[in-house]
Amino acid sequence: MKPNEFLPNHPSSFIRLIGKLLAILIMVALVADCSSKKDIYYCPMHPHYTSDRPGTCPICNMDLVKKEDPAEHKDHTNASTSLQAAESTSNEDHSSHQSEITSEKNSNELILSFEKQQSIGIKTELVSKRNLVKKISAYSSVAYDPELYSALSEYKEAVRSSEFLSPEIIRNLQLRLRQLGLSQDQIRVWTSGARDPSELILGGKSGRAHIYSQIYESDFTTAKVGLPIKFKTDVYPEKEFIGRIKSIDVILDKNNRTLRLRSEVSDPGQLLKPQMFGDAMIEVSLPKVLSVPTSAILDTGKQKIAYVQTAPDRFQAVSVQTGKNIEPWVEILSGLKEEQRVVTESTFLIDSEAKIRFGSESHAH
């Protein structure tokens, strides 16, 4: 048999044979390249820890997750394109160009399949305006204030003897009362005879009691004169004493960073005694507050971010500014709009995934 008999007689048959051989060579090279690469596994909670085999993270005992290698996907895509080119080269340039445009457009979005979202437990919530109620719990006691009692007594005596005293002395005594936390209206009430200063050392009279409460700096902008207050004490666990805030001190306690509220509550049976301890509850209604669950906000130290769901499988980090913290909600001042959907569960995990894929640029939006 002659050697020429092994070759196809028709040129097109010869070209097809060469194309098939080329495709086989590409597939063999691809298999060899994939088998030579080792899989990398990482901890979603601690992305800096990696391993070349499955297992658990030594820091948090979470199961390691296989890291997706973008270069590997690119090699597979190129190999597949080359295989298709050996058989048909139509539309290749158009598809490649379209893929590049899409990749560049979505470079700042994290793409997660539905299976991946389910595996890490992602849940979302709408950004919306809500009618919220902020509750402030304040450590409180029944008033025992001999300092204020003395200041009020001196001021009342000075007012009665004003024709013999200079106006500057009376102004200084009034300034002392302001320093101790009384407003101008409260000074008039205490010195007009409507209240007896002895109530501050002997206990309330006429069915009322005076309550002193301490609130923290974070609640300064919420607490206002006139707000309702509920006082409870372990001495009478079944009773609740209702009243209102009458005045707020003007000087912050430098040791514990608190401000004192002075309230009057109803006590018809005169059950409350000076220095009796308890807790005061203040409820403040805040209508139509643009808010999200507190779990949606991730504080990086430099900024606060939230992950917005831009499509069913796409998420994007945005910088936000927050206002009042009203558990379980937080007020949004800027960065989010009404009707946007944000991630509320597994926020830390999705942030770790973004850092792995985008590095330090994951929060630069």
Side-chain angles (χ1 to χ4, degrees), residues 106-122:
N106 299 325
S107 60
N108 61 343
E109 290 183 330
L110 180 64
I111 302 176
L112 293 176
S113 64
F114 296 108
E115 293 78 10
K116 184 77 175 223
Q117 294 180 42
Q118 189 174 13
S119 67
I120 64 178
I122 290 179

Side-chain angles (χ1 to χ4, degrees), residues 270-315:
Q270 302 300 143
L271 300 176
L272 299 176
K273 308 302 179 185
Q275 293 189 320
M276 189 176 285
F277 297 118
D279 290 297
M281 178 63 69
I282 305 168
E283 295 186 356
V284 185
S285 297
L286 302 171
K288 296 183 179 180
V289 177
L290 186 67
S291 57
V292 297
T294 53
S295 59
I297 305 300
L298 184 63
D299 194 340
T300 67
K302 295 182 179 179
Q303 62 177 336
K304 294 180 180 180
I305 65 170
Y307 278 90
V308 177
Q309 187 177 29
T310 58
D313 63 341
R314 298 175 186 271
F315 302 88

Side-chain angles (χ1 to χ4, degrees), residues 101-113 307-318 340 350 353-359 361-365:
I101 293 176
T102 304
S103 177
E104 180 178 358
K105 179 180 178 180
N106 299 325
S107 60
N108 61 343
E109 290 183 330
L110 180 64
I111 302 176
L112 293 176
S113 64
Y307 278 90
V308 177
Q309 187 177 29
T310 58
D313 63 341
R314 298 175 186 271
F315 302 88
Q316 185 175 8
V318 296
Q340 284 184 314
I350 197 174
E353 186 76 20
K355 288 180 180 177
I356 293 172
R357 298 196 187 182
F358 303 127
E361 296 181 356
S362 60
H363 297 165
H365 305 303

